[in-house]
C-alpha cells in the first residue's frame, strides 16, 4: 500500500493574529539574513487573510503585493514596513542574548 502525502501549507494554520505574530516572529529568528523567510511568512499571512484588503491598507495594488511577496519578490524595507503596519503589527529591534 502506498502512502499519500499532502503539501503542508502554513496558511491553513494561521487562524488568529496571535498565530500570525508567532509565525512571523519564528521566521524572523530563523531567517538566514537575506529576508527570504520574512518575505515568505508575510506572503503566507497575506494569503491567510484578505489579500485585496491588505494591499489597500498598505497603499499597494493587489498585483503589486503578490509580486513583492512572491518567491522571486524582493520587497524594499519600506514595503515590508507598510505591510506589517497594515497587518496591525510593528517591527521591534531587540538585543540578542
Amino acid at each position: 500500500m502506498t502512502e499519500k502525502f499532502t503539501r503542508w501549507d502554513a496558511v491553513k494554520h494561521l487562524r488568529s493574529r496571535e498565530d500570525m505574530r508567532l509565525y512571523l516572529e519564528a521566521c524572523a529568528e530563523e531567517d538566514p539574513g537575506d529576508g527570504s523567510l520574512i518575505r515568505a511568512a508575510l506572503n503566507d499571512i497575506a494569503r491567510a487573510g484578505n489579500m485585496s484588503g491588505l494591499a489597500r491598507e498598505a497603499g499597494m495594488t493587489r498585483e503589486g503585493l503578490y509580486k513583492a511577496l512572491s518567491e522571486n519578490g524582493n520587497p524594499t524595507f519600506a514595503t515590508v514596513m507598510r505591510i506589517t503596519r497594515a497587518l496591525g503589527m510593528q517591527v521591534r529591534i531587540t538585543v540578542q542574548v
Side-chain angles (χ1 to χ4, degrees):
M1 181 165 108
T2 60
E3 292 184 49
K4 284 193 172 188
F5 294 96
T6 58
R7 186 174 169 94
W8 188 84
D9 189 359
V11 172
K12 295 177 183 178
H13 305 279
L14 298 172
R15 295 186 179 101
S16 70
R17 286 176 53 131
E18 182 67 3
D19 292 341
M20 294 174 188
R21 182 190 69 80
L22 291 170
Y23 179 58
L24 184 57
E25 190 175 277
C27 288
E29 288 174 6
E30 296 297 322
D31 189 85
D34 62 0
S36 60
L37 281 181
I38 295 169
R39 183 211 34 83
L42 287 172
N43 184 29
D44 291 339
I45 291 167
R47 289 186 307 117
N50 178 350
M51 187 70 87
S52 296
L54 178 60
R56 198 171 26 258
E57 285 290 318
M60 304 175 68
T61 64
R62 192 171 137 265
E63 293 79 17
L65 183 60
Y66 272 112
K67 183 178 177 182
L69 298 180
S70 72
E71 189 173 333
N72 296 320
N74 189 17
T76 65
F77 186 70
T79 299
V80 171
M81 293 299 293
R82 289 195 331 246
I83 294 168
T84 54
R85 285 191 179 134
L87 288 167
M89 298 180 190
Q90 58 181 258
V91 175
R92 292 185 183 227
I93 308 300
T94 61
V95 176
Q96 287 182 316
V97 289

